[in-house]
């Protein structure tokens, strides 16, 4: 692989709490291969908070970054409480010499007026997980007792989208479920007028395939779902909301760059800090095998630059070189970028594979390319 200079991390995912108050059956943290969460502290200690702030500020300063992004994550980050969250964000804003965008990604069940007032004071935007209408959401996103969480999330969103707090609303995150109708799901989310929606494919791989994925060739159920959604979204007479995966695919097709992991060939510019202070790769790798995301680094002794010395991180400096031979020769590789690394895993040969979603990604990329090409051709004809 050619020598590619280290690219600074610009997104810092901070796991302020390692547990969750829900028991979603598709969760990649608690239901997949990596169970290290069991031995991690539930909440970041003040010492780990201090070192985390120091390392983020150091990285931004050393690389002369003019902006950076922090995402407060979990588990369920609100379980950390307003004290820990307030101290972390306040210290980051004082220490980081750059524009700092801070977002908390929450399941919404604990989001109340006290938290919203804190986030307004600290300028923290709020992303909420919602899988559609009540039936769709409560099929998977339940508490330990099995009770659905839609009612609690609906209450939280009513407050978040009120005039007083709407400026804090970062968007919605929805996990794709083939059982749900894509258009019905999308329109249920539109009711909250989100600025953007993230649609996530369920995390799986060749050893443990995602639900509903056929073993044989030909069928593309996830592409079918996403294409129906894309056509509804793209054909709307006015832009109703952003859909991140579509926006990023369109950006790549039109000659730009993707900011989304799993779209395009850009190198990953994010790093994760766990509650115990360990520095890790994308936590989605927890869906593959235990320790897949580990770097062996810790905020108390290591800079984030040290992660570039970890072979697995180094291999992803150049996404094209990191792809398997099948993906390197694919006509859509620039668009899908081989998909998420976690989705390429197979127990007997690691990550040197196409995505388990390869046929779906291929069909989706081709469909979007064809629609955009047809529209551009029509526009050229109309302007002659």
């Amino acid at each position: 692989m050619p020598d590619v200079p280290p690219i600074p991390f610009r997104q810092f995912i901070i796991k302020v709490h390692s547990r969750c108050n829900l028991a979603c059956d598709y969760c990649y943290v608690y239901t997949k291969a990596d169970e290290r969460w069991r031995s991690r502290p539930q909440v970041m200690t003040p010492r780990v908070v201090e070192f985390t702030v120091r390392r983020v500020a150091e990285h931004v300063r050393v690389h002369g970054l003019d902006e950076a992004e922090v995402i407060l994550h979990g588990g369920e980050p609100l379980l950390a409480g307003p004290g820990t969250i307030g101290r972390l964000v306040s210290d980051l804003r004082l220490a980081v010499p750059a524009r700092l965008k801070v977002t908390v990604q929450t399941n919404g069940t604990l989001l109340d007026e006290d938290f919203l007032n804190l986030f307004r004071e600290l300028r923290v935007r709020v992303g909420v997980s919602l899988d559609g209408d009540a039936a769709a959401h409560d099929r998977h996103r339940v508490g330990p007792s099995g009770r659905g969480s839609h009612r609690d999330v609906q209450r939280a969103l009513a407050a978040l989208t009120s005039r007083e707090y709407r400026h804090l609303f970062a968007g919605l995150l929805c996990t794709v479920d083939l059982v749900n109708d894509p258009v019905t799901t999308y329109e249920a989310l539109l009711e909250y007028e989100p600025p953007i929606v993230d649609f996530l494919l369920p995390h799986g791989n060749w050893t443990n395939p995602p639900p509903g994925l056929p073993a044989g060739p030909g069928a593309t159920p996830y592409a079918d779902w996403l294409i129906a959604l894309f056509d509804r979204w793209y054909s709307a007479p006015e832009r109703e909301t952003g859909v991140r995966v579509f926006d990023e695919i369109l950006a790549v097709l039109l000659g730009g760059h993707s900011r989304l992991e799993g779209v395009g060939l850009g190198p990953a510019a994010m790093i994760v800090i766990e509650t115990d202070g360990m520095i890790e790769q994308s936590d989605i790798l927890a869906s593959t095998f235990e320790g897949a995301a580990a770097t062996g680094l810790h905020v108390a002794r290591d800079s984030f630059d040290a992660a570039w010395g970890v072979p697995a991180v180094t291999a992803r400096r150049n996404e094209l070189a990191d792809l398997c031979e099948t993906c390197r020769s694919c006509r859509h590789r620039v668009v899908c970028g081989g998909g998420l690394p976690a989705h390429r895993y197979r127990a007997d040969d690691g990550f040197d594979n196409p995505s388990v979603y390869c046929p779906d990604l291929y069909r989706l990329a081709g469909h979007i390319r064809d629609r955009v090409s047809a529209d551009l051709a029509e526009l050229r004809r109309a302007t002659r």
Side-chain angles (χ1 to χ4, degrees):
M1 187 179 78
D3 186 22
V4 179
I7 295 174
F9 299 109
R10 294 178 178 272
Q11 185 182 82
F12 304 90
I13 298 176
I14 302 179
K15 301 277 193 166
V16 292
H17 203 283
S18 66
R19 305 297 195 271
C20 190
N21 60 326
L22 294 184
C24 306
D25 58 14
Y26 54 55
C27 182
Y28 64 88
V29 177
Y30 307 111
T31 67
K32 303 297 182 183
D34 196 335
E35 295 193 340
R36 291 178 302 150
W37 61 271
R38 296 182 184 276
S39 61
R40 285 199 162 110
Q42 292 190 19
V43 65
M44 268 193 171
T45 65
R47 179 177 178 273
V48 171
V49 168
E50 178 185 351
F51 279 115
T52 298
V53 170
R54 187 181 305 176
R55 293 303 182 191
V56 173
E58 171 190 65
H59 193 78
V60 168
R61 184 172 56 253
V62 166
H63 292 282
L65 302 181
D66 56 4
E67 61 181 6
E69 181 180 14
V70 166
I71 299 177
L72 307 180
H73 212 276
E76 170 47 48
L78 300 193
L79 286 171
T84 296
I85 293 173
R87 179 169 58 251
L88 172 62
V89 177
S90 297
D91 289 353
L92 281 166
R93 291 213 179 276
L94 286 171
V96 176
R99 292 189 300 275
L100 192 64
K101 176 184 176 183
V102 183
T103 305
V104 59
Q105 184 62 44
T106 174
N107 62 37
T109 58
L110 302 176
L111 187 63
D112 59 16
E113 192 170 314
D114 289 340
F115 271 119
L116 288 170
N117 286 332
L118 175 68
F119 295 149
R120 181 174 56 185
E121 176 186 347
L122 297 174
R123 290 173 288 136
V124 175
R125 302 189 74 212
V126 182
V128 177
S129 299
L130 180 67
D131 285 350
D133 60 21
H137 183 90
D138 287 345
R139 186 175 297 113
H140 303 286
R141 300 189 64 80
V142 299
S145 68
R147 176 182 172 271
S149 60
H150 185 269
R151 182 178 299 176
D152 293 333
V153 180
Q154 190 176 46
R155 170 197 51 76
L157 282 169
L160 177 60
T161 57
S162 66
R163 177 191 292 183
E164 191 173 3
Y165 302 113
R166 174 165 278 279
H167 66 286
L168 302 176
F169 191 18
L172 296 173
L173 184 153
C174 175
T175 299
V176 173
D177 184 347
L178 297 175
V179 175
N180 302 328
D181 179 78
V183 173
T184 301
T185 300
Y186 173 66
E187 291 178 348
L189 301 178
L190 275 183
E191 293 179 11
Y192 299 97
E193 299 180 5
I196 199 161
V197 180
D198 277 296
F199 285 95
L200 304 184
L201 294 172
H203 295 308
N205 52 65
W206 292 102
T207 300
N208 295 294
L213 205 63
T220 54
Y222 284 94
D224 296 343
W225 202 98
L226 289 169
I227 285 170
L229 171 62
F230 174 81
D231 287 344
R232 164 65 180 81
W233 173 79
Y234 186 74
S235 300
E238 295 182 355
R239 183 177 171 92
E240 297 163 315
T241 185
V243 174
R244 197 180 308 273
V245 64
F246 300 153
D247 284 337
E248 299 303 323
I249 289 174
L250 290 171
V252 173
L253 287 172
L254 295 173
H257 300 282
S258 168
R259 299 162 296 176
L260 180 66
E261 185 183 21
V263 174
L265 291 172
M270 52 82 73
I271 199 79
V272 176
I273 305 95
E274 294 284 353
T275 54
D276 57 3
M278 297 303 294
I279 300 169
E280 305 226 326
Q281 303 176 73
S282 169
D283 59 333
I284 297 171
L285 291 168
S287 63
T288 59
F289 63 89
E290 182 146 336
T295 67
L297 305 175
H298 193 281
V299 289
R301 61 175 181 269
D302 301 298
S303 70
F304 292 129
D305 277 3
W308 291 110
V310 177
V313 177
T314 304
R316 295 192 176 112
R317 290 182 187 182
N318 186 326
E319 284 284 344
L320 185 58
D322 190 42
L323 298 181
C324 70
E325 184 58 38
T326 300
C327 292
R328 284 199 293 270
S329 62
C330 177
R331 66 189 294 258
H332 293 310
R333 68 184 183 278
V334 175
V335 178
C336 83
L340 287 171
H343 296 169
R344 307 172 197 166
Y345 178 75
R346 193 193 317 261
D348 58 358
D349 60 1
F351 297 94
D352 190 27
N353 303 288
S355 169
V356 72
Y357 288 108
C358 180
D360 297 271
L361 297 176
Y362 188 93
R363 182 159 180 257
L364 176 65
H367 178 83
I368 296 177
R369 182 190 295 272
D370 289 347
R371 286 217 55 178
V372 171
S373 297
D375 284 352
L376 290 175
E378 179 62 32
L379 182 62
R380 284 193 292 269
R381 285 193 296 269
T383 54
R384 283 175 183 169

